[in-house]
Amino acid sequence: MKPTLLILAAGMGSRYGGLKQLDAMGPSGEVVLDYSVYDAIRAGFGKVVFVIRRDFEELFRTQIGSKFEGRIAVEYAFQDLNDLPEGFSVPEGRTKPWGTAHALLSAANVVNEPFLMINADDFYGQDAYKKIAADLVQPRPNDGKSHWSMVGFYLKNTLSDHGSVSRGVCTRDANGMLTTVLEMTKIFKHGDVAENREVEGAYVPLTGDEVVSMNFFGFTPDIFPQLRKAFVEFLSKRGTELKSECYVPAEVDALISAGKAEVRVLETTGKWFGVTYPEDKAEVVASIRELIDAGEYPQSLWG
């Protein structure tokens, strides 16, 4: 069974001020999401599922989903603020989505195979897709645990020249399994190698070779019942708050700590691109141009 690519795209309309304002990064008008689907197709994925909001479904299908018809199977799932387990309701005044865990749960009815979860506006590179695709088709041990995977990027390949970033720094055991993800904030780029994070006014040196999580997780469908239970617990504790969110990495970390899941960390030397700051766009465009000139992508993906 071919794996599925699941793209979290429900926030696209709010972040970009409407789909029409999606920034073109490729020379033929491609957005970052185009490169994700292209890489997934050539890595052997059989389906792409977009998690979006109902209010821009028609626009999304027309402007984005239609490009992939005939190239890969396309399905949609819908994240709705009011889609909550029985016994819970949206507190008055809340407009903020419930987070990536809630977004992932919205796709439970359309994903029945191993899958890769990614962010819609992040560029991960073909090496990451090849490695996760090879892992997703491997048989899993039948030992009562969930067996998942992730591709980790070297910190130095994920930084911005224009300000600080937050990253989840991973630690692993002797078998290459994820043990913890430490969220670090205010990580700055200093020169080509040395990066630092600011902690209570002090600088803590980082080498740049730390492996960080960029939300590139390979899951099997058994995550859905576990995530559903975790989301109920989250709502019980924080469901009356107006801005609380339930995040996939945090819940995965909790399942690892409880001995219910193992996550194999795969490494890539590829560079992650993202527009954290407006000034990052020029660098993303230039980086994609370099990859095209190196023969890794065609001048036009869908031409």
Side-chain angles (χ1 to χ4, degrees):
M1 183 177 293
K2 291 184 177 182
T4 285
L5 173 64
L6 188 148
I7 302 179
L8 303 181
M12 289 180 74
S14 57
R15 279 201 296 269
Y16 291 97
L19 293 177
K20 290 181 180 178
Q21 281 70 46
L22 280 174
D23 281 343
M25 301 290 177
S28 300
E30 295 91 351
V31 298
V32 168
L33 187 153
D34 284 313
Y35 289 94
S36 297
V37 176
Y38 184 86
D39 282 333
I41 290 172
R42 61 178 172 177
F45 285 73
K47 181 172 71 176
V48 58
V49 174
F50 295 105
V51 178
I52 61 174
R53 299 196 316 269
R54 284 279 185 190
D55 60 279
F56 61 67
E57 176 187 0
E58 183 177 351
L59 201 58
F60 193 98
R61 286 178 181 267
T62 302
Q63 292 193 12
I64 296 177
S66 61
K67 289 185 284 189
F68 312 125
E69 292 176 1
R71 306 175 191 275
I72 189 171
V74 178
E75 292 194 46
Y76 297 88
F78 302 95
Q79 185 178 16
D80 186 331
L81 185 67
N82 296 291
D83 183 14
L84 295 175
E86 187 175 352
F88 296 96
S89 59
V90 179
E92 184 178 354
R94 178 166 184 132
T95 58
K96 191 175 185 64
W98 293 105
T100 53
H102 182 246
L104 183 53
L105 283 171
S106 68
N109 292 331
V110 294
V111 177
N112 302 298
E113 54 282 318
F115 66 96
L116 165 64
M117 182 196 81
I118 67 167
N119 297 328
D121 49 1
D122 289 355
F123 185 104
Y124 297 99
Q126 63 171 314
D127 183 61
Y129 287 90
K130 288 179 180 178
K131 285 178 175 171
I132 203 82
D135 181 81
L136 286 171
V137 298
Q138 297 300 315
R140 266 39 182 176
N142 185 18
D143 58 4
K145 290 184 181 180
S146 295
H147 294 270
W148 305 324
S149 55
M150 60 162 281
V151 171
F153 288 72
Y154 295 122
L155 175 61
K156 62 189 176 186
N157 292 332
T158 73
L159 298 172
S160 170
D161 287 324
H162 306 290
S164 68
V165 298
S166 298
R167 294 288 180 258
V169 179
C170 303
T171 56
R172 294 162 288 179
D173 65 17
N175 297 316
M177 297 299 178
L178 185 66
T179 52
T180 60
V181 179
L182 176 61
E183 288 296 328
M184 291 187 176
T185 60
K186 296 184 179 178
I187 303 177
F188 294 89
K189 184 173 184 180
H190 291 286
D192 294 329
V193 179
E195 289 77 39
N196 304 290
R197 70 178 175 116
E198 188 178 7
V199 181
E200 297 179 353
Y203 283 102
V204 177
L206 297 168
T207 67
D209 291 323
E210 292 84 1
V211 173
V212 298
S213 169
M214 301 303 294
N215 264 0
F216 199 89
F217 284 101
F219 293 121
T220 48
D222 62 356
I223 190 174
F224 293 120
Q226 298 185 78
L227 206 56
R228 198 171 288 114
K229 181 180 178 182
F231 187 55
V232 168
E233 293 175 358
F234 164 83
L235 289 172
S236 298
K237 295 176 182 176
R238 306 188 63 188
T240 59
E241 300 174 15
L242 299 185
K243 294 187 177 181
S244 58
E245 292 187 67
C246 186
Y247 297 110
V248 170
E251 299 306 333
V252 169
D253 196 45
L255 289 167
I256 292 172
S257 297
K260 296 180 179 179
E262 288 187 346
V263 177
R264 181 171 298 282
V265 180
L266 312 169
E267 295 181 19
T268 180
T269 57
K271 189 174 181 182
W272 172 94
F273 310 137
V275 181
T276 305
Y277 299 93
E279 298 86 353
D280 290 331
K281 180 184 175 181
E283 184 177 347
V284 173
V285 171
S287 296
I288 290 175
R289 180 74 260 172
E290 288 178 10
L291 292 171
I292 292 170
D293 291 343
E296 293 195 30
Y297 296 94
Q299 178 77 13
S300 175
L301 289 185
W302 315 116

